[in-house]
Amino acid sequence: MRKRLGILVAMLFYYSGLVGLFRRHMQRMGKRLIILNYHHADTSNLRSHFAYLSRHYRVMHLEDALHALYATQQNMPVDRRTIAVITFDDGYRDNYTHAFALARELQVPITIFLIPGYVESGTHFWWHESCRLLRYTRVNEVTLDGYTYHLTVPEEKQQLAQLIDGRLRYAGSVAERELFLKHIRAQLNVSPDPMVHELEHMPLSWEEILTMQQSGLVSFGSHTMHHPVLACLDNADDLRYELEASRQALQQRLGTAVSTFAYPIGKEAHVSHAAVRAVGDAGYSWAVTAMPGFNTPASHPLLLRRVLAEERRHWSVVAAELCGIWSYLSPFWKFLLGE
């Protein structure tokens, strides 16, 4: 009900002309860069997102957009629309089967942040493992940290899922995380091999990545070597390795310089001052977070903000959020939604 009401409010904003009014107001405010943050690309909504963006915004590759944002010359571009960039984190295979197919059809450029360690191994992304393991476990109980969880009891199964996710998310090193994963997979008797219906949620292959690169429609950035939460890493050497090894692997495979980076998870709690310094030291010129907002020439180049634009959201909600009306009139729609 809330979702439908939210869409109705967003549609009201759009068809009343308010979205267009706010969009034109943003254009008059000077340089603005909107970076959209997607992950998956497996729903029909994405087509309407791409179509809306290409019609109302100047959609560019991330590096091109950043050069335009920070350029010092005052020459007014022919296209006065606000610049927008479509980014995908992690490099799921559906970025190739769905997002790339749409990019070619609609001629819309996209940028994907890759995790070379997962591309090489082809294994499940760690952040899906707690749910996956408990979905396919063949045991009825498991003992972890001295407590026995009875998996036929929904509450205890959920508690175990939260514990597994926490151990993976806040591990002090990739080695610690992978050792725990190996242990819990054995405890739950679940194979690490993907099933057929899971393939769309697995990492891209190098062959798919190179095919996208050759099209000229897809650019790539780094998302670390193995996707640890950088603020949780105990060792400065591990932090440096995750940043440098990823950049080197991508540059070697792609045959081009890699200057953009996306922080794993990317909220304020996950991006430490040490991580920001290390990103710059590793040779990246720009880095994006998952902190909400738009960017201006005054934005910190290693702490760029993005707008969460999940592919399952209705295009009208995305349109309202991108122009700023969603936040400006938030007291109104929150009242309507009973929040």
Side-chain angles (χ1 to χ4, degrees):
M1 181 62 182
R2 277 190 172 189
K3 182 179 178 181
R4 290 181 180 178
L5 190 53
I7 293 172
L8 286 175
V9 172
M11 295 286 277
L12 173 64
F13 290 163
Y14 181 81
Y15 287 109
S16 68
L18 284 173
V19 167
L21 183 66
F22 270 70
R23 201 172 54 238
R24 289 188 292 274
H25 175 67
M26 178 180 288
Q27 293 172 12
R28 292 193 293 269
M29 290 175 64
K31 284 186 179 181
R32 291 288 187 278
L33 169 60
I34 300 173
I35 307 175
L36 293 93
N37 181 197
Y38 293 89
H39 292 81
H40 279 294
D42 59 354
T43 71
S44 59
N45 281 345
L46 197 60
R47 174 185 292 277
S48 57
H49 289 203
F50 279 22
Y52 176 82
L53 289 165
S54 62
R55 185 164 61 248
H56 295 292
Y57 291 87
R58 184 153 56 112
V59 184
M60 304 172 69
H61 284 303
L62 181 58
E63 287 196 24
D64 294 338
L66 289 165
H67 280 300
L69 178 68
Y70 289 111
T72 55
Q73 69 266 23
Q74 299 301 313
N75 295 336
M76 195 63 67
V78 176
D79 190 341
R80 299 285 300 276
R81 294 176 299 172
T82 300
I83 300 173
V85 175
I86 299 170
T87 67
F88 288 85
D89 285 4
D90 307 323
Y92 289 96
R93 188 170 182 270
D94 61 26
N95 292 180
Y96 176 79
T97 57
H98 292 69
F100 178 47
L102 282 175
R104 283 187 299 184
E105 178 186 342
L106 302 176
Q107 290 296 290
V108 176
I110 63 177
T111 298
I112 301 175
F113 290 103
L114 299 171
I115 313 167
Y118 278 101
V119 180
E120 295 286 355
S121 67
T123 55
H124 293 275
F125 293 117
W126 65 259
W127 51 93
H128 294 307
E129 283 295 78
S130 60
C131 292
R132 190 185 77 88
L133 293 175
L134 290 173
R135 184 182 304 125
Y136 298 118
T137 183
R138 302 169 192 172
V139 302
N140 291 324
E141 62 180 45
V142 63
T143 300
L144 190 62
D145 294 344
Y147 183 86
T148 299
Y149 295 85
H150 302 90
L151 304 184
T152 54
V153 180
E155 293 80 7
E156 294 196 25
K157 192 172 185 177
Q158 179 61 29
Q159 289 172 4
L160 179 58
Q162 292 173 351
L163 176 60
I164 293 172
D165 185 74
R167 290 281 292 272
L168 297 174
R169 186 176 301 268
Y170 301 112
S173 69
V174 172
E176 176 188 324
R177 185 187 77 198
E178 294 304 309
L179 184 62
F180 175 73
L181 258 178
K182 182 178 180 180
H183 170 72
I184 196 64
R185 281 172 181 154
Q187 286 275 88
L188 294 169
N189 194 20
V190 179
S191 169
D193 299 327
M195 300 181 184
V196 173
H197 66 276
E198 296 177 317
L199 294 180
E200 289 298 309
H201 303 295
M202 299 301 291
L204 291 161
S205 68
W206 287 119
E207 181 180 1
E208 292 164 340
I209 291 166
L210 292 174
T211 298
M212 289 191 283
Q213 183 192 34
Q214 289 162 8
S215 73
L217 288 166
V218 186
S219 61
F220 297 97
S222 165
H223 201 32
T224 70
M225 195 67 182
H226 301 101
H227 202 283
V229 177
L230 298 185
C232 295
L233 292 180
D234 296 329
N235 192 300
D237 289 338
D238 288 344
L239 173 59
R240 184 166 54 252
Y241 172 80
E242 285 295 319
L243 299 170
E244 294 179 356
S246 175
R247 183 166 181 258
Q248 291 168 4
L250 290 174
Q251 290 182 154
Q252 182 178 4
R253 287 284 190 167
L254 299 174
T256 186
V258 172
S259 58
T260 58
F261 176 78
Y263 296 94
I265 304 182
K267 298 292 187 181
E268 188 171 357
H270 311 117
V271 181
S272 64
H273 294 300
V276 176
R277 288 195 301 271
V279 167
D281 292 342
Y284 298 99
S285 301
W286 302 290
V288 299
T289 68
M291 302 176 203
F294 307 147
N295 301 286
T296 72
S299 297
H300 192 305
L302 298 180
L303 287 170
L304 296 164
R305 294 179 175 269
R306 290 191 285 180
V307 175
L308 182 63
E310 294 177 350
E311 78 285 357
R312 297 184 185 280
R313 301 173 77 188
H314 194 270
W315 67 268
S316 63
V317 176
V318 175
E321 188 165 3
L322 292 184
C323 73
I325 191 174
W326 203 244
S327 57
Y328 183 78
L329 297 179
S330 60
F332 167 71
W333 63 259
K334 283 185 176 179
F335 172 77
L336 276 180
L337 298 178
E339 295 182 355

